[in-house]
Amino acid sequence: MHKRIPKVLIVDDNDLMRTLLRGMLRGDDYHVVGEARNGLQAVEAAQKLDPDIVCLDVMMPEMDGLEALTAIKQARPDTCVVMITGNPSKENVEESIQGGAAGFIVKPFNTARVLDTLKHAWEQSLAQRTKAG
């Protein structure tokens, strides 16, 4: 059976953070299809690029990650969204989970943890799709 490589959209207003994440995801398991630096760009990119997974920073200018999460999930309920945060406060976490986030990546990034979180979120997402379909 051919394993489908999930397409990933990276969203963070910090260029360095996007570069770090892209570096971690480079390889056989993920295909980074695009990047965005704020929530508005994220919503547009999600529509245009049709990513399977969106790594979405919580704190961003113009439209924050929680608003973008809501917009992306409304337009594309199947998209697996993993939130990125430097401040995993209880409120942020609860709001994100209610908004449909599949997981959390906490800054500073730890490669093993990032990959583990994405793998888990993606597997969950696939399982839900299988059940729904």
Side-chain angles (χ1 to χ4, degrees), residues 3-114:
K3 189 178 86 156
R4 192 161 82 83
I5 297 173
K7 296 183 293 187
V8 183
L9 171 65
I10 297 173
V11 186
D12 197 312
D13 56 326
N14 183 317
D15 296 347
L16 178 63
M17 293 298 166
R18 290 199 313 275
T19 303
L20 283 170
L21 262 181
R22 195 181 335 114
M24 288 176 195
L25 300 181
R26 193 171 283 139
D28 301 333
D29 295 329
Y30 300 98
H31 175 54
V32 178
V33 290
E35 295 181 15
R37 54 166 41 102
N38 64 50
L40 288 173
Q41 286 181 357
V43 175
E44 281 171 25
Q47 291 289 0
K48 212 173 10 204
L49 301 170
D50 191 35
D52 299 301
I53 302 172
V54 179
C55 295
L56 187 59
D57 191 20
V58 174
M59 304 301 268
M60 290 182 298
E62 295 187 55
M63 177 195 271
D64 71 25
L66 295 169
E67 292 175 84
L69 167 67
T70 305
I72 290 168
K73 290 300 271 187
Q74 277 176 344
R76 311 182 63 247
D78 272 352
T79 307
C80 174
V81 181
V82 177
M83 304 306 283
I84 303 169
T85 181
N87 170 26
S89 71
K90 197 165 172 284
E91 292 76 32
N92 272 349
V93 172
E94 283 174 358
E95 212 173 318
S96 300
I97 302 289
Q98 283 167 352
F104 270 86
I105 298 171
V106 180
K107 296 176 193 175
F109 296 138
N110 165 318
T111 305
R113 204 174 299 138
V114 166

